[in-house]
Amino acid sequence: MKLFRPSSRGMWIAAVSTILILPFVFPVLSHAPAPVEIQTDDRRLIKATWLWDARRIATEPDEILSFLQKNGVNLLYLQVKPSDVSVDHYRHFIRKARSLGIDVHALNGQPEWAFLHRYDELQSFVDWVRRYNDAVLRSESFTGIHLDIEPYLLPQWKTDRDRVIREWKENTERIVAQIKERSDLVAGADLPFWLDDVPAVPGETPSGQLSSWMIRQFDHVTLMAYRNKAVEDDGILAHVRSELKTAAAWNKTVLVGVSINATDEGDKVSFAEKGKAEMQRQLSITDAHLRPFASYGGHAIHDYASWKAAKD
């Protein structure tokens, strides 16, 4: 399984070891996973970012691509919003991006997509991406689908969390199977770092973590480790090692996400006040510490608009 398909230049970006595709319904961790593999090669890490306002690819495509190229980005999570952006704008932008060695994954999600009665919306998104890819040149196609479904933002997470988790898991299994059906699209998702404190099944012991279950479903996950220091008790590294070990055991890939968005969640969450240079310094530290993990794919910065506007 590759995290990326080849770009139009025929180059593989951040290749991940080939694995046997496992069934989508996994048993709870009743068997010990394989030992954690330690990576010794000098592989190129992924650097990703999110672009939520897809209208910008119609109004400022060259400016976006210049910024991404200048900052070493080789993976873009680009929101799909056909009501605002034409197919031709997606085609032209993705073709230019891939010619520069930047892969593009189709991004979308809503907290409510965790519910069974909203599955049709999730399916419609994936169907649109597949129809789009079938209609365009390979050099203009999305190479993956990236889901941002965060049901813990809903009031039901507090009032009926067991139901939310059960339905979220069912929708996840179904949609990943659909993504993989007759497709080589990479299946990815955003996850919060604290999901390893949530049992995958109500009443289960901590060994059945929801984060572990989710990691096993996808080709890769972007772990939203939103802290602005790498090395401290409540820093980036402290919040990702468990998930990296789980991912390594199942031949999955983890990107570590940080935020440079303005926030009122506290002074340790974002790099908005610290700036781009300090963010890059902390990410370099993170890369150095985590590169030995075979499951570590690189890092992701949330998001393009805030990153571009942030102080140096």
Side-chain angles (χ1 to χ4, degrees):
M1 174 67 64
K2 302 288 187 179
L3 182 56
F4 291 107
R5 285 180 4 204
S7 68
S8 58
R9 290 184 178 181
M11 297 180 64
W12 289 100
I13 301 175
V16 178
S17 301
T18 302
I19 63 170
L20 182 65
I21 301 297
L22 298 172
F24 289 108
V25 181
F26 290 89
V28 175
L29 282 173
S30 55
H31 303 288
V36 174
E37 178 187 353
I38 300 299
Q39 190 81 21
T40 57
D41 70 308
D42 191 27
R43 71 198 188 281
R44 184 188 181 195
L45 295 177
I46 298 161
K47 190 169 188 175
T49 192
W50 293 255
L51 177 52
W52 285 102
D53 185 0
R55 293 171 298 182
R56 299 178 76 154
I57 70 170
T59 59
E60 52 186 276
D62 293 336
E63 185 177 344
I64 293 169
L65 293 172
S66 176
F67 179 87
L68 299 182
Q69 190 175 31
K70 176 184 175 182
N71 287 279
V73 172
N74 50 26
L75 173 59
L76 177 66
Y77 303 141
L78 174 61
Q79 188 181 33
V80 165
K81 198 166 184 181
S83 60
D84 290 348
V85 182
S86 71
V87 166
D88 279 345
H89 282 124
Y90 279 112
R91 287 179 51 240
H92 296 154
F93 181 83
I94 293 172
R95 183 172 65 244
K96 288 181 182 179
R98 296 189 63 186
S99 74
L100 297 172
I102 302 168
D103 270 76
V104 183
H105 289 189
L107 166 68
N108 225 334
Q110 297 180 29
E112 294 83 3
W113 284 6
F115 293 132
L116 295 178
H117 72 276
R118 300 289 291 271
Y119 182 78
D120 286 350
E121 297 172 35
L122 178 56
Q123 184 175 17
S124 293
F125 161 56
V126 172
D127 285 345
W128 186 94
V129 175
R130 291 176 59 174
R131 289 195 305 272
Y132 168 88
N133 273 8
D134 288 344
V136 303
L137 298 174
R138 187 174 179 84
S139 61
E140 299 167 343
S141 63
F142 291 100
T143 54
I145 288 180
H146 195 79
L147 301 177
D148 185 82
I149 302 171
E150 303 184 53
Y152 41 84
L153 300 176
L154 298 171
Q156 292 93 327
W157 187 260
K158 293 182 179 179
T159 61
D160 196 6
R161 190 175 74 170
D162 290 351
R163 173 208 165 200
V164 174
I165 290 173
R166 283 193 296 268
E167 295 194 12
W168 188 14
K169 288 172 62 181
E170 183 172 339
N171 279 1
T172 295
E173 286 183 327
R174 290 174 66 190
I175 204 61
V176 172
Q178 183 181 349
I179 291 170
K180 292 301 181 182
E181 184 182 19
R182 304 187 310 276
S183 161
D184 59 353
L185 285 165
V186 173
D190 296 326
L191 296 178
F193 70 80
W194 49 262
L195 214 59
D196 56 358
D197 292 329
V198 178
V201 177
E204 221 178 53
T205 63
S207 63
Q209 299 159 332
L210 186 55
S211 62
S212 298
W213 189 93
M214 287 289 178
I215 286 168
R216 298 202 307 274
Q217 309 312 306
F218 293 95
D219 297 316
H220 83 279
V221 299
T222 299
L223 201 62
M224 296 181 287
Y226 289 174
R227 293 294 183 265
N228 55 28
K229 288 187 179 179
V231 184
E232 63 173 28
D233 290 343
D234 191 23
I236 297 168
L237 299 176
H239 291 303
V240 302
R241 291 187 185 276
S242 172
E243 289 84 353
L244 283 163
K245 290 176 182 178
T246 296
W250 294 96
N251 283 328
K252 304 294 184 174
T253 299
V254 172
L255 303 186
V256 172
V258 298
S259 175
I260 196 166
N261 286 13
T263 180
D264 58 3
E265 296 181 51
D267 59 7
K268 64 184 178 181
V269 173
S270 171
F271 286 97
E273 296 300 320
K274 294 180 178 291
K276 299 173 186 174
E278 177 61 13
M279 179 179 70
Q280 188 53 57
R281 192 176 78 85
Q282 295 297 325
L283 286 172
S284 295
I285 295 170
T286 299
D287 286 346
H289 278 265
L290 299 182
R291 181 180 283 275
F293 287 89
S295 57
Y296 182 58
H299 57 255
I301 297 164
H302 193 274
D303 60 357
Y304 164 79
S306 295
W307 184 9
K308 186 172 183 292
K311 65 182 181 181
D312 293 332

